[in-house]
């Protein structure tokens, strides 16, 4: 019975995708006399937490009920008051928790508060599922860096564009719609300058259902050559545009970009490139907890080389285009020995009409040669 109610809490938590960043996704269910009497979830950053939302939605007095929540109730004052205190004040008799708060500064304190108040606490129900749901928050709060997803789409023979550079469209409509769902979930999307020059994308979210939200749009441009008329700069959107560049950026060009509302981050790295490690630190300071990398082969290689990629999502379309000079998802000079290959673990495969999506997590990311 614990599992079924916790599964419902996890389902509710997912309704907050893309709206709670950098807070976690949390859902809550209150059960009394074998019936669900209240449900709630964290809808947006700064809004009521899941437990409080459930209290507000209660059909009857929650005193004596059992609260199911997929993450340990908070015990500190942040943007909102501590939920553990609210639970105690509502005279809840039992709290069932999927996972403890991963924040090392607060982990376990909420549970301790509840137990000291005489409330029965059960932990670890559907813990694996809860951790996967909040993998972004776990990385962000423990490593103080955004969770990076490298997304690519390629043909069956491993090409991301034809020899002429044509890349529209490798994957099918269903796959592309799912990518926009991902954009709607993450805090930011990142591409390299070559993608801007070749494809001139807007990097916005376009969904046929629900409310679309554009992620912060980040362009890696070491030399500062991005055209002022680029769509990513000029398209109407509430989301910010960040240009990650170096001191090679022309002063006059910088002023024009700032006038356009572009935020400039100058991060000099080796050989005149943008320092991606420093960029991750800066994005953390901006409370950007997640990043969808939709770069070309060069930027993907650099990201893997610097060890910033956490998860890889590759769409494979049943098409063959050939061409020894056609672009591939990861370029650079590559790794010489198979035993040094970057390996993925926890692999899953999902079908989107004719396409297949392979997902996995980077394991022991070794350096790619440049």
């Amino acid at each position: 019975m614990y599992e079924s109610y916790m599964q419902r809490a996890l389902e509710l938590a997912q309704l907050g995708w893309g709206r709670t960043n950098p807070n976690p996704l949390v859902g809550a269910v209150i059960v009394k006399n074998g019936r669900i009497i209240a449900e709630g979830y964290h809808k947006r950053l700064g809004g009521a937490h899941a437990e409080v939302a459930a209290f507000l939605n209660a059909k009857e007095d929650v005193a004596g009920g059992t609260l199911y929540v997929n993450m340990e109730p908070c015990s500190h004052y942040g943007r909102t008051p501590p939920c553990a205190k609210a639970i105690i004040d509502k005279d809840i008799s039992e709290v069932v928790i999927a996972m403890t708060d991963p924040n090392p500064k607060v982990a376990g304190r909420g549970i301790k508060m509840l137990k000291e108040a005489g409330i029965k606490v059960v932990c670890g129900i559907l813990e694996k599922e809860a951790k996967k749901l909040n993998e972004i928050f776990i990385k962000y709060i423990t490593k103080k860096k955004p969770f990076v997803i490298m997304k690519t789409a390629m043909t069956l023979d491993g090409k991301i564009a034809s020899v002429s550079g044509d890349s529209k469209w490798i994957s099918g409509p269903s796959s592309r719609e799912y990518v926009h769902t991902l954009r709607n979930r993450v805090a930011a999307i990142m591409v390299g300058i070559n993608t801007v020059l070749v494809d001139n994308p807007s990097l916005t979210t376009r969904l046929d259902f629900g409310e679309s939200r554009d992620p912060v749009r980040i362009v890696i441009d070491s030399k500062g050559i991005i055209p002022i008329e680029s769509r990513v700069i000029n398209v109407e959107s509430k989301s910010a545009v960040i240009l990650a560049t170096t001191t090679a950026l022309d002063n006059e060009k910088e002023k024009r970009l700032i006038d356009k509302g572009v935020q400039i981050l100058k991060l000099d790295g080796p050989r005149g490139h943008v320092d991606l490690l420093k960029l991750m630190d800066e994005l953390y300071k901006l409370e950007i907890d997640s990043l969808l990398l939709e770069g070309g082969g060069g930027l993907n290689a650099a990201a893997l080389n610097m060890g910033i990629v956490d998860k890889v999502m590759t769409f494979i379309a049943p098409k063959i285009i050939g061409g020894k000079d056609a672009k591939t998802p990861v370029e650079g000079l590559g790794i010489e020995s198979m035993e040094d290959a970057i390996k993925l673990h926890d692999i899953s495969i999902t079908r989107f009409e004719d396409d297949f999506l392979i997902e996995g997590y980077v394991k022991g990311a070794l350096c790619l040669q440049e």
Side-chain angles (χ1 to χ4, degrees), residues 31-51:
V31 178
K32 189 174 181 179
N33 298 324
R35 297 178 296 109
I36 294 178
I37 64 168
E39 294 183 339
Y41 68 97
H42 187 31
K43 292 184 177 181
R44 59 177 178 81
L45 184 67
H49 284 191
E51 301 92 328

Side-chain angles (χ1 to χ4, degrees), residues 10-196:
L10 290 168
E11 291 171 358
L12 289 167
Q14 294 178 55
L15 297 176
W17 268 122
R19 305 300 186 272
T20 67
N21 315 64
N23 279 359
L25 297 164
V26 185
V29 175
I30 301 175
V31 178
K32 189 174 181 179
N33 298 324
R35 297 178 296 109
I36 294 178
I37 64 168
E39 294 183 339
Y41 68 97
H42 187 31
K43 292 184 177 181
R44 59 177 178 81
L45 184 67
H49 284 191
E51 301 92 328
V52 174
F55 294 148
L56 294 173
N57 295 332
K59 301 174 183 177
E60 59 186 80
D61 186 5
V62 300
T66 298
L67 170 68
Y68 292 80
V69 62
N70 61 293
M71 185 172 290
E72 174 186 2
C74 61
S75 58
H76 62 291
Y77 283 88
R79 289 182 170 92
T80 60
C83 293
K85 184 179 184 304
I87 293 168
I88 295 169
D89 292 342
K90 288 291 185 178
D91 201 22
I92 293 291
S93 63
E94 181 180 12
V95 178
V96 182
I97 301 168
M99 62 176 285
T100 58
D101 190 329
N103 188 339
K105 294 182 180 180
V106 300
R109 292 184 180 179
I111 293 172
K112 183 180 179 182
M113 282 181 63
L114 297 174
K115 288 182 175 179
E116 288 178 346
I119 296 174
K120 179 182 177 182
V121 179
V122 178
C123 297
I125 305 301
L126 299 187
E127 182 178 23
K128 182 178 179 180
E129 292 84 347
K131 287 183 175 179
K132 182 173 178 59
L133 175 66
N134 272 305
E135 60 190 8
I136 287 173
F137 178 71
I138 293 172
K139 164 77 181 293
Y140 177 78
I141 203 69
T142 60
K143 304 298 183 182
K144 300 187 185 303
K145 296 180 187 297
F147 186 91
V148 179
I149 304 168
M150 189 181 87
K151 189 279 297 181
T152 62
M154 67 180 188
T155 60
L156 199 60
D157 55 339
K159 309 298 184 181
I160 62 172
S162 69
V163 290
S164 68
D166 181 27
S167 60
K168 290 184 172 30
W169 295 101
I170 288 177
S171 56
S174 181
S175 298
R176 298 198 298 274
E177 182 176 290
Y178 184 65
V179 170
H180 283 278
T181 299
L182 292 174
R183 290 185 181 186
N184 193 45
R185 293 178 177 180
V186 298
I189 181 173
M190 185 168 80
V191 299
I193 183 60
N194 287 337
T195 296
V196 173

Side-chain angles (χ1 to χ4, degrees), residues 128-316:
K128 182 178 179 180
E129 292 84 347
K131 287 183 175 179
K132 182 173 178 59
L133 175 66
N134 272 305
E135 60 190 8
I136 287 173
F137 178 71
I138 293 172
K139 164 77 181 293
Y140 177 78
I141 203 69
T142 60
K143 304 298 183 182
K144 300 187 185 303
K145 296 180 187 297
F147 186 91
V148 179
I149 304 168
M150 189 181 87
K151 189 279 297 181
T152 62
M154 67 180 188
T155 60
L156 199 60
D157 55 339
K159 309 298 184 181
I160 62 172
S162 69
V163 290
S164 68
D166 181 27
S167 60
K168 290 184 172 30
W169 295 101
I170 288 177
S171 56
S174 181
S175 298
R176 298 198 298 274
E177 182 176 290
Y178 184 65
V179 170
H180 283 278
T181 299
L182 292 174
R183 290 185 181 186
N184 193 45
R185 293 178 177 180
V186 298
I189 181 173
M190 185 168 80
V191 299
I193 183 60
N194 287 337
T195 296
V196 173
L197 295 177
V198 174
D199 297 334
N200 195 21
S202 62
L203 302 180
T204 54
T205 301
R206 299 178 295 281
L207 293 174
D208 294 331
F209 57 91
E211 180 185 354
S212 292
R213 173 195 139 275
D214 295 334
V216 172
R217 293 157 297 155
I218 303 169
V219 178
I220 307 297
D221 180 12
S222 299
K223 297 180 180 178
I225 61 174
I226 186 170
I228 294 294
E229 65 273 12
S230 297
R231 290 182 64 194
V232 69
I233 294 174
N234 293 280
V235 70
E236 185 175 342
S237 175
K238 295 180 181 179
S239 73
V241 177
I242 296 175
L243 185 72
T245 186
T246 67
T247 50
L249 175 63
D250 177 75
N251 289 337
E252 183 59 34
K253 180 74 167 289
E254 180 178 358
K255 292 177 182 177
R256 294 177 65 194
L257 289 168
I258 292 174
D259 287 342
K260 283 281 190 178
V262 178
Q263 183 175 350
I264 309 295
L265 294 178
K266 294 182 181 179
L267 304 164
D268 289 357
R271 295 175 295 282
H273 296 306
V274 171
D275 189 321
L276 295 180
L277 291 178
K278 289 181 181 178
L279 176 60
M280 295 302 106
D281 291 334
E282 292 301 315
L283 296 182
Y284 171 80
K285 295 175 184 176
L286 294 172
E287 294 192 332
I288 292 176
D289 65 354
S290 49
L291 183 65
L292 186 63
L293 174 58
E294 293 196 34
L299 181 56
N300 288 343
L304 289 166
N305 182 48
M306 299 305 295
I308 67 171
V309 178
D310 298 289
K311 186 176 186 177
V312 175
M313 301 180 70
T314 300
F315 291 89
I316 301 177

